[in-house]
Amino acid sequence: MKFVVIDQVVLSRPAEGPLAAHLVSFAESLRAQGYCLYSQKRQVRIAACFSRWLKHAHVEVRSVCTDHAVRYFRYRARHVQLLPGDAAALTHFIDLLRHQGVIPAEKKSVPRLTSAERCAQAYEQYLRETRALAKTSIANYVPFIRDFLNDRFGDQRATLSQLCADDVVKFVQRQVPRLHLKRAKLMTTALRSFLRYARYRGDVPLDLAAAVPVVANWSLTSIPRAIAADQVEALLASIDQHTATGRRDYAIVLLLARLGLRSGEVAFLELDDIDWNTGYLSVRSKSGQRNELPLPTEVGKAIAAYLRRGRPQSSCRRVFLRDKAPIAGFHGASGVGSLVRHSLLRAGINAPTKGTHQFRHGLATNMLSQGASLGEIGEVLGHHNPQTTMIYAKVDINALRTLALPWPGGVK
């Protein structure tokens, strides 16, 4: 006798076991997350088999844990061939039950921290709570400090009062040859921040931050790698706007190319950030500040087309959603970067890079060629430091020619 879980999700026999009563909510959750019917059936079937196995193993609901899932798959492997996605299906089921409070959350064993790791952890808390630094900055700083403390103290007690300038200089000298220039500069910035923190706490009486060597770097040495205007148009023309995914990708590329947004700004854009009445877009920059940008008609129409005839139904407030289950916003900037990379590859466009920043450089270059000032470009790109925009002066070839000195002896 067949057992109907929800519409079209049917088991070959009645569900049994301690988790049978929760199969319906699991199936509804999968449907709400946008899983296709085939995936819904398969995941519910795995969950039902797991519940039946728990019954034969005499496991009560409140005793279910991850170890039971491992043991079940050992049992299942002896009877049928395991398929990719089976383990993920059971993980989804167990996570749902934990979220609903049906089974208790597992207590994770906390590894014993060394003295150096506890010190790095206290510094991380200081950055987060006292300095209110952005998560990305904290994630960049703390690993360098952890490495520095482990290098200096190892498993011994991390006594910061024992630090001296020689410790700082030798650590930087050992690390810099292995790092990219930008990472090396980030490391020295993190070290100065930590050593100022140590002095603020009273652990270090001297200003050891001044002992951190400066990594040699000449500003504005490179020329921005900008995608050409014709390449942008070719990429836009290659996107199939007859599909939901195509309408999303088209709107995203337009935001990158016409407004010069960063990939993270596009990924985290929310529905409430668009004011359709005034035609303005509110963008949260990487510094956390809000920038108000006019929404060009072309871009607005593309976003509206996606929202009306492409965006899946979801409670998520992000403008752009993934096209595969679970339906949600992009996890971060890398999702937008991957989308652009695949779009360029599919269109056969040999762009300067595979990333999204080339659209930002392309917009600045086009504005400069049309007579926009560096100040106007910096305002559009959301630069708070005018020096950041100065690099685009190097791409204004006509203006640079006027500064060139005549060749001695004249042109022959």
Side-chain angles (χ1 to χ4, degrees):
M1 183 177 68
K2 293 185 178 181
F3 176 76
V4 178
V5 181
I6 58 174
D7 296 342
Q8 296 183 292
V9 179
V10 182
L11 300 175
S12 57
R13 55 176 168 166
E16 54 183 316
L19 303 179
H22 303 283
L23 294 177
V24 173
S25 63
F26 181 48
E28 291 174 342
S29 172
L30 294 173
R31 176 178 291 180
Q33 293 180 74
Y35 285 95
C36 66
L37 182 59
Y38 170 78
S39 183
Q40 293 176 41
K41 291 178 179 179
R42 183 174 161 189
Q43 294 196 55
V44 169
R45 193 178 303 119
I46 291 289
C49 292
F50 177 58
S51 181
R52 190 176 302 113
W53 177 84
L54 290 173
K55 176 184 177 182
H56 295 308
H58 305 290
V59 179
E60 300 293 332
V61 174
R62 299 296 294 177
S63 302
V64 175
C65 63
T66 305
D67 183 59
H68 290 120
V70 174
R71 288 163 53 190
Y72 166 68
F73 278 116
R74 288 184 191 144
Y75 161 82
R76 186 177 177 84
R78 293 195 296 268
H79 296 82
V80 297
Q81 181 180 0
L82 297 181
L83 298 175
D86 286 355
L90 200 48
T91 299
H92 293 162
F93 187 41
I94 291 176
D95 287 345
L96 176 68
L97 296 176
R98 284 208 182 103
H99 179 71
Q100 294 177 340
V102 177
I103 60 177
E106 289 188 31
K107 294 181 179 179
K108 296 181 180 179
S109 57
V110 180
R112 186 175 180 181
L113 300 178
T114 65
S115 179
E117 289 168 339
R118 287 197 299 272
C119 186
Q121 201 173 67
Y123 170 64
E124 179 179 359
Q125 184 178 359
Y126 162 78
L127 293 179
R128 184 175 58 253
E129 298 179 1
T130 305
R131 294 292 307 281
L133 253 63
K135 291 182 180 179
T136 51
S137 298
I138 296 174
N140 282 325
Y141 282 20
V142 174
F144 286 125
I145 303 310
R146 190 179 293 116
D147 291 343
F148 171 63
L149 294 173
N150 284 327
D151 179 78
R152 172 60 180 83
F153 299 107
D155 294 331
Q156 299 177 354
R157 180 179 177 81
T159 307
L160 299 185
S161 59
Q162 296 178 0
L163 290 175
C164 63
D166 192 49
D167 297 328
V168 177
V169 173
K170 286 182 177 179
F171 176 76
V172 173
Q173 289 175 337
R174 285 193 297 270
Q175 297 297 316
V176 165
R178 304 188 300 105
L179 298 173
H180 185 275
L181 176 61
K182 287 186 177 180
R183 293 289 296 170
K185 289 177 67 63
L186 184 62
M187 177 190 67
T188 55
T189 302
L191 277 174
R192 292 188 189 96
S193 169
F194 173 74
L195 293 171
R196 284 193 290 266
Y197 155 77
R199 191 182 186 191
Y200 160 78
R201 280 171 46 98
D203 296 325
V204 177
L206 301 176
D207 182 17
L208 292 182
V212 179
V214 176
V215 178
N217 178 39
W218 289 267
S219 62
L220 310 181
T221 54
S222 61
I223 295 178
R225 291 189 287 177
I227 187 170
D230 59 339
Q231 290 180 320
V232 172
E233 298 310 315
L235 177 60
L236 290 169
S238 71
I239 299 174
D240 183 6
Q241 297 182 60
H242 295 94
T243 67
T245 301
R247 282 188 280 271
R248 181 200 64 183
D249 295 354
Y250 185 80
I252 285 176
V253 173
L254 273 180
L255 280 169
L256 295 170
R258 304 294 192 251
L259 292 177
L261 298 189
R262 300 178 180 89
S263 54
E265 293 169 346
V266 174
F268 296 116
L269 191 66
E270 297 196 351
L271 296 171
D272 297 330
D273 293 333
I274 305 175
D275 190 333
W276 296 102
N277 294 322
T278 61
Y280 271 83
L281 191 69
S282 176
V283 178
R284 184 180 295 279
S285 67
K286 64 179 182 180
S287 63
Q289 295 183 346
R290 283 281 181 183
N291 295 325
E292 299 289 333
L293 297 173
L295 186 64
T297 303
E298 179 189 20
V299 181
K301 286 182 177 180
I303 296 175
Y306 168 65
L307 295 178
R308 289 171 178 164
R309 296 178 286 115
R311 188 178 185 273
Q313 289 187 352
S314 173
S315 60
C316 179
R317 299 300 295 171
R318 298 271 186 86
V319 172
F320 300 108
L321 304 180
R322 288 159 37 94
D323 56 358
K324 294 181 180 178
I327 301 299
F330 293 108
H331 293 307
S334 60
V336 175
S338 177
L339 180 154
V340 167
R341 187 167 58 253
H342 286 99
S343 296
L344 289 168
L345 184 64
R346 185 172 56 248
I349 296 174
N350 186 23
T353 73
K354 300 300 181 185
T356 60
H357 227 63
Q358 61 181 324
F359 294 95
R360 191 170 168 84
H361 294 323
L363 175 63
T365 302
N366 289 336
M367 289 180 64
L368 195 63
S369 66
Q370 294 172 16
S373 68
L374 291 178
E376 290 170 334
I377 294 172
E379 188 175 350
V380 170
L381 298 184
H383 290 162
H384 298 289
N385 186 350
Q387 190 68 22
T388 308
T389 318
M390 285 298 296
I391 194 169
Y392 294 110
K394 302 181 69 173
V395 301
D396 192 353
I397 303 300
N398 292 328
L400 289 176
R401 283 198 180 103
T402 64
L403 302 178
L405 296 176
W407 187 262
V411 179
K412 294 183 179 180

